[in-house]
Amino acid sequence: MKKRKYLAAVILGTGALVSCSLTPDYLRPDAGLPKEAPVSWEQGVKAQKEESDLNAGWWHGFGSDTLLRLQKAGLAQNHDFAARGWQLAQAVAQARVARAPLFPWLGAEVHGSRLGEHDNRTHRFSMTDTVSGSFQASYEVDIWGKLRSQADSASFIAEATLNDWRAAGLSLESDIALAYFYLLGQKERLAVQSRILDAARQMLDYMEKRHRAGAASPLDIARQKSDVAAMEARVEELERVAQAATNNLNNLLGNAVITDELSDAIRKEKLTDLLAPAVPAGLPSDLLIRRPDILSAEAMLKSANADIGAARAAFLPSIFLTAQGGTQSSSLHNLFHSSSLFYALASSLVAPIFEGGRLEAQLDITLARREEMVARYQQAALSAFLEVDTAIAANAFLMREEKKRREASEQAQEAYRIVSVRYAAGAEEFLAVLDAQRTMLNAEDAVVTVALARLNASAGLFKALGGGWAESLPPENISSGKL
């Protein structure tokens, strides 16, 4: 817990010294977003709530313990996410470096020497020992707030990097969920396609029997064989895609192979058993302000604002205080005697006279960078708003589409049941049974497809809302900024 205080100290405070700041007052720029939630947002949230009363929070609402285990493994083992964490550690350590000039510098050194001389007349050596110790101290008086502004800028960069780390975690969670949904979807589509292939093979067998009896043409047989071959190729394709989906999930988890325990859990779970979580209501400002990328963009804007203060202060004189002292003696026991002590105090004022336009150019750079960060912040806010709007609309549309697809599947199952009864009674041909079966299985495949799309849209919406990452903290070894 003590190590976590480094992170808070770096980001929230950059020194206790009072100075005159030339940094402009920070004002959050207007992102140009609606002040009230769009009607479509209210409808989308309402539709989600009507579908499910579950709102257990980030990812828990999907009702999949396997998904939560996958996410935990990915956050602990994903190498890219680990690299983001160490980027944060570097930023925190760099912010601590930037704070150091706010405090006096003190150094010390000790020297010992022995001088030997040869007397040519007596042919004897004489030895002279000298022992000395000294210290140096220096301090730049931060009258204009230059050092404080530089420290603030580095702290805001660390804050931005912290939110970049949070955004990376949010993206990783989303990617793991999408990869898992996709894998389950491909497995279920493969199962449905295998059943469709079995039905096509049964139809081919039935047609070949009719052909031998002279009731089916060679053209019909050739067409059906073509359909069977195409379906067999489709099964091979889905098996290939499922293997690629497994490897993609492995990559996100940071492992070459999924453990047997997780593999068994994945094998038992079905995509259509997962839930699309309900979405909590909230105004755009409430939804967007906790997104890590928005927080990061604003932190970078604050950093650019602080740089302006440092650039302005560079035009003004700097005052340096220095002190030097020590002791020197020919014998160690007299080293700290008052007669061996010496000291010196000095102060200096350094002011720029001619810099070849460097200071003006540096100020122009900081002003331009602030305007760049304003534009980036506004674009990030706009993109976030539109992502949420798109995700809510997609969830509403897909919810209605899924309802219709399930109705179509239920009707196809009923048609297959009726045809099967009629065939048993001798009122229908077997061809009608196989055709009804294929229609039923195609409808089931459509249900799997739309269920996958809706789960993906739900995951995208939670990602667009920022998930629960606004308050997430990195491990202590990262948050301390110490490797």
Side-chain angles (χ1 to χ4, degrees):
M1 182 61 67
K2 291 183 179 179
K3 292 183 177 181
R4 295 287 180 95
K5 293 181 180 179
Y6 282 109
L7 186 64
V10 166
I11 292 178
L12 299 179
T14 55
L17 300 178
V18 178
S19 60
C20 175
S21 176
L22 299 178
T23 301
D25 293 335
Y26 173 74
L27 296 175
R28 179 179 291 166
D30 182 12
L33 301 180
K35 301 302 181 183
E36 299 293 334
V39 176
S40 62
W41 286 32
E42 297 174 359
Q43 292 175 344
V45 170
K46 182 179 179 182
Q48 288 286 331
K49 286 189 172 181
E50 288 177 349
E51 180 69 12
S52 173
D53 292 331
L54 295 177
N55 184 24
W58 183 238
W59 298 125
H60 292 271
F62 287 96
S64 171
D65 292 336
T66 304
L67 175 59
L68 300 181
R69 292 168 60 189
L70 291 172
Q71 290 167 353
K72 183 177 180 181
L75 293 174
Q77 300 168 182
N78 182 273
H79 302 299
D80 289 335
F81 185 57
R84 289 295 190 115
W86 292 117
Q87 285 180 342
L88 172 58
Q90 295 173 55
V92 172
Q94 189 59 46
R96 292 167 54 213
V97 171
R99 291 181 62 222
L102 290 169
F103 304 95
W105 177 86
L106 179 65
E109 58 182 11
V110 177
H111 295 284
S113 63
R114 169 171 290 182
L115 177 64
E117 294 182 344
H118 180 262
D119 190 331
N120 292 328
R121 292 176 298 173
T122 62
H123 299 288
R124 293 181 178 180
F125 283 94
S126 61
M127 310 295 291
T128 303
D129 295 330
T130 302
V131 181
S132 65
S134 64
F135 74 90
Q136 302 85 33
S138 65
Y139 178 61
E140 180 179 355
V141 182
D142 193 25
I143 298 178
W144 316 113
K146 180 182 69 173
L147 301 179
R148 182 63 175 268
S149 295
Q150 291 172 343
D152 285 344
S153 177
S155 293
F156 287 129
I157 290 177
E159 181 180 346
T161 309
L162 170 62
N163 284 296
D164 289 341
W165 173 83
R166 290 168 171 164
L170 176 61
S171 294
L172 177 58
E173 274 193 338
S174 178
D175 289 344
I176 289 174
L178 295 180
Y180 182 52
F181 297 157
Y182 186 72
L183 175 58
L184 292 182
Q186 296 311 307
K187 288 173 58 181
E188 290 195 33
R189 294 194 68 193
L190 178 59
V192 171
Q193 193 67 34
S194 296
R195 291 163 62 191
I196 294 175
L197 175 59
D198 289 340
R201 285 171 174 168
Q202 291 179 35
M203 183 177 291
L204 176 60
D205 183 64
Y206 174 75
M207 293 176 67
E208 286 178 338
K209 290 179 179 178
R210 287 174 56 85
H211 174 65
R212 287 193 293 269
S217 69
L219 178 59
D220 292 337
I221 299 297
R223 286 174 175 171
Q224 187 61 24
K225 286 184 176 180
S226 175
D227 287 347
V228 170
M231 291 175 190
E232 290 173 341
R234 177 61 175 159
V235 168
E236 294 290 340
E237 178 186 2
L238 288 174
E239 289 178 345
R240 174 183 59 80
V241 171
Q243 181 59 48
T246 301
N247 289 335
N248 181 45
L249 184 58
N250 287 340
N251 185 48
L252 293 171
L253 298 180
N255 285 326
V257 180
I258 296 179
T259 63
D260 292 339
E261 184 182 1
L262 266 178
S263 182
D264 290 340
I266 293 172
R267 192 179 301 110
K268 295 176 182 177
E269 197 154 51
K270 294 183 62 178
L271 181 76
T272 48
D273 291 337
L274 302 184
L275 303 171
V279 181
L283 296 177
S285 58
D286 297 329
L287 298 173
L288 300 182
I289 196 171
R290 62 193 182 103
R291 276 183 53 135
D293 57 337
I294 302 297
L295 296 175
S296 177
E298 185 170 15
M300 291 302 295
L301 175 56
K302 292 178 180 178
S303 173
N305 196 66
D307 285 337
I308 294 176
R312 287 175 174 175
F315 286 88
L316 303 175
S318 300
I319 297 177
F320 295 89
L321 303 179
T322 59
Q324 184 176 8
T327 180
Q328 180 173 319
S329 174
S330 59
S331 59
L332 185 61
H333 67 274
N334 289 326
L335 182 62
F336 299 101
H337 194 272
S338 59
S339 61
S340 301
L341 299 177
F342 68 90
Y343 69 91
L345 300 175
S347 63
S348 60
L349 185 148
V350 178
I353 296 177
F354 178 73
E355 295 286 344
R358 181 178 62 86
L359 297 180
E360 290 86 350
Q362 188 62 45
L363 178 58
D364 289 342
I365 290 173
T366 59
L367 292 171
R369 181 170 178 267
R370 180 181 64 177
E371 294 306 312
E372 176 195 352
M373 293 302 108
V374 167
R376 291 187 181 277
Y377 172 81
Q378 292 172 329
Q379 182 60 47
L382 176 62
S383 297
F385 177 84
L386 295 177
E387 283 179 18
V388 173
D389 190 64
T390 300
I392 286 180
N395 272 267
F397 289 131
L398 287 168
M399 182 197 68
R400 294 193 290 270
E401 181 184 350
E402 184 178 16
K403 182 178 180 181
K404 296 298 183 182
R405 294 290 186 186
R406 290 187 182 279
E407 289 178 0
S409 178
E410 291 171 359
Q411 293 301 317
Q413 291 177 17
E414 178 64 12
Y416 175 69
R417 185 191 67 80
I418 293 173
V419 169
S420 298
V421 171
R422 288 175 58 84
Y423 173 74
E428 290 286 353
E429 293 187 357
F430 185 60
L431 191 63
V433 176
L434 294 179
D435 186 60
Q437 184 183 47
R438 179 184 295 186
T439 300
M440 178 186 68
L441 295 175
N442 283 330
E444 289 181 10
D445 184 69
V447 169
V448 173
T449 300
V450 72
L452 174 60
R454 189 181 174 203
L455 288 173
N456 287 345
S458 294
L461 178 55
F462 274 102
K463 180 183 178 182
L465 296 178
W469 280 86
E471 303 300 329
S472 299
L473 290 176
E476 290 190 3
N477 59 340
I478 291 177
S479 61
S480 68
K482 291 185 175 181
L483 305 184

